C-alpha cells in the first residue's frame, strides 16, 4: 500500500491547475482500524466514513486524523456526529441542514459542511439539483450553527470525458461563485478512485479515495 500512497501523494502535491492544494480524504468504509491507522502512519491526514454506525464504531479506535462524513445521512442520526467531524460533506437537503444547525447551536458550535450536488442528475444519487446549487448555498449559509465550506459531488460512472469534463466545469463555476460571495468557501470535493485525476485537472481540490489507497473492497456478504 505504501508505494501506491507515495506516488499518489506525489501527484497530489502538484495541486490543481488553479494553484490550489489538493486534500486527500481516505474513504475508509469496510476497512479495519488497523488498516486505517496504517494509512495514517503513511501520511493520510483525513478520513471519511459513509455510514454513521461505522463512523461511531471506529471513532475511538483510529487516531490522529480529521474525520469526514461522506454518505447519506438521516436526520435522527445527526446527533451522533455533532462535534466529531471536520466536515459533513453530504448535506443534500434543507431539512438535514436545519437539523445539523439546530444541534450545533445547542452544542455551542458551528459545524463545517459541504453541500452535495447531484451533478449528473442521477436517480441513484443524493444531492441538490445543479440548478438549485446557488440558492441552496444562500439558504444554508444564512443558518446559524452552519459554516458552508463548499460543495461535494459524485460524477456519473462513465469513462466518457465528453460527459465528465462539462460536469466538472459546472461544479467549478458553482464553487467559484460561492467563493466570491463568502470567504468561508474553500473546498470542492470531487473525485473518487476511477476519476480523481480528471477531477483535479478540471478544478477539484479535495478527492475521496478508497480503492486507490486500500485496494479492492471485500464484496458485501449475502
Ligand atoms: C466509497 C466512497 C468513495 C471512494 O470510492 P472509491 O471508488 O473506492 O475510491 C468516495 N466517496 C464516497 C461518498 C464514498 O462512499
Amino acid at each position: 500500500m505504501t508505494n501506491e500512497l507515495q506516488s499518489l501523494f506525489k501527484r497530489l502535491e502538484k495541486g490543481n491547475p488553479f494553484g490550489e492544494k489538493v486534500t486527500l480524504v481516505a474513504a475508509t468504509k469496510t476497512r479495519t482500524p488497523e488498516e486505517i491507522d496504517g494509512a495514517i502512519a503513511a501520511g493520510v491526514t483525513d478520513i471519511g466514513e459513509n455510514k454513521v454506525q461505522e463512523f461511531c464504531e471506529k471513532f475511538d479506535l483510529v487516531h490522529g486524523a480529521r474525520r469526514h462524513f461522506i454518505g447519506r445521512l438521516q436526520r435522527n442520526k445527526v446527533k451522533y456526529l455533532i462535534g466529531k467531524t471536520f466536515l459533513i460533506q453530504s448535506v443534500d437537503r434543507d431539512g438535514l441542514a436545519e437539523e445539523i444547525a439546530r444541534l450545533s447551536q445547542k452544542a455551542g458550535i458551528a459545524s463545517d459542511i459541504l453541500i452535495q450536488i447531484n451533478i449528473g442528475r442521477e436517480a441513484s444519487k443524493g444531492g441538490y439539483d445543479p440548478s438549485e446549487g446557488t440558492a441552496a448555498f444562500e439558504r444554508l449559509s444564512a443558518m446559524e450553527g452552519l459554516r458552508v465550506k463548499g460543495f461535494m459531488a459524485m460524477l456519473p460512472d462513465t469513462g466518457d470525458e465528453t460527459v465528465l469534463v462539462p460536469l466538472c466545469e459546472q461544479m467549478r463555476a458553482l464553487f467559484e461563485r460561492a467563493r466570491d460571495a463568502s470567504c468561508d468557501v474553500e473546498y470542492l470535493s470531487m473525485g473518487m478512485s476511477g476519476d480523481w485525476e480528471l477531477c483535479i485537472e478540471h478544478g477539484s481540490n479535495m478527492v475521496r479515495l478508497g480503492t486507490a489507497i486500500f485496494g479492492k473492497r471485500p464484496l458485501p456478504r449475502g
Side-chain angles (χ1 to χ4, degrees):
M1 180 190 71
T2 311
N3 276 345
E4 275 131 59
L5 255 182
Q6 291 323 317
S7 62
L8 194 57
F9 283 134
K10 262 221 178 88
R11 168 59 192 92
L12 296 177
E13 260 167 33
K14 295 189 192 130
N16 70 14
F18 298 80
E20 296 156 358
K21 162 176 176 290
V22 177
T23 302
L24 169 65
V25 179
T28 49
K29 58 176 168 276
T30 76
R31 311 301 174 177
T32 64
E34 292 72 27
E35 285 175 280
I36 300 167
D37 274 338
I40 294 168
V44 164
T45 56
D46 291 68
I47 61 176
E49 287 287 348
N50 69 332
K51 294 211 169 78
V52 172
Q53 190 176 340
E54 243 182 292
F55 180 98
C56 293
E57 281 170 4
K58 294 179 202 168
F59 191 83
D60 291 325
L61 301 175
V62 170
H63 307 278
R66 305 193 293 194
R67 313 302 167 102
H68 298 241
F69 190 78
I70 61 177
R72 274 263 174 147
L73 181 53
Q74 291 167 265
R75 287 180 67 131
N76 63 354
K77 295 198 172 155
V78 169
K79 56 176 180 275
Y80 301 115
L81 299 182
I82 294 298
K84 296 187 160 181
T85 53
F86 177 71
L87 275 180
I88 299 177
Q89 297 204 8
S90 42
V91 178
D92 60 359
R93 55 203 194 278
D94 285 17
L96 175 60
E98 282 158 8
E99 183 65 359
I100 298 170
R102 185 181 76 80
L103 292 180
S104 299
Q105 276 183 276
K106 212 172 138 194
I109 62 170
S111 290
D112 287 345
I113 65 147
L114 302 182
I115 296 174
Q116 184 175 349
I117 303 293
N118 188 354
I119 190 62
R121 297 194 159 109
E122 297 173 275
S124 61
K125 293 196 172 113
Y128 288 91
D129 189 86
S131 67
E132 293 172 358
T134 296
F137 174 75
E138 285 167 2
R139 284 197 305 279
L140 272 51
S141 298
M143 291 181 191
E144 215 166 307
L146 287 190
R147 246 185 331 247
V148 183
K149 302 292 289 181
F151 297 91
M152 186 269 257
M154 263 180 265
L155 294 180
D157 187 11
T158 166
D160 186 349
E161 296 199 5
T162 64
V163 172
L164 297 178
V165 171
L167 298 180
C168 287
E169 288 169 352
Q170 276 182 54
M171 283 306 305
R172 182 73 201 185
L174 180 61
F175 166 76
E176 289 188 3
R177 268 201 305 279
R179 197 184 49 182
D180 288 345
S182 157
C183 49
D184 286 335
V185 173
E186 255 183 275
Y187 301 116
L188 176 53
S189 173
M190 187 168 69
M192 314 199 338
S193 293
D195 57 20
W196 62 276
E197 287 165 291
L198 177 129
C199 287
I200 291 174
E201 218 42 56
H202 296 279
S204 165
N205 60 27
M206 179 174 274
V207 292
R208 309 175 309 274
L209 306 183
T211 48
I213 295 175
F214 298 104
K216 262 193 153 140
R217 273 184 291 281
L219 289 171
R221 271 164 291 185

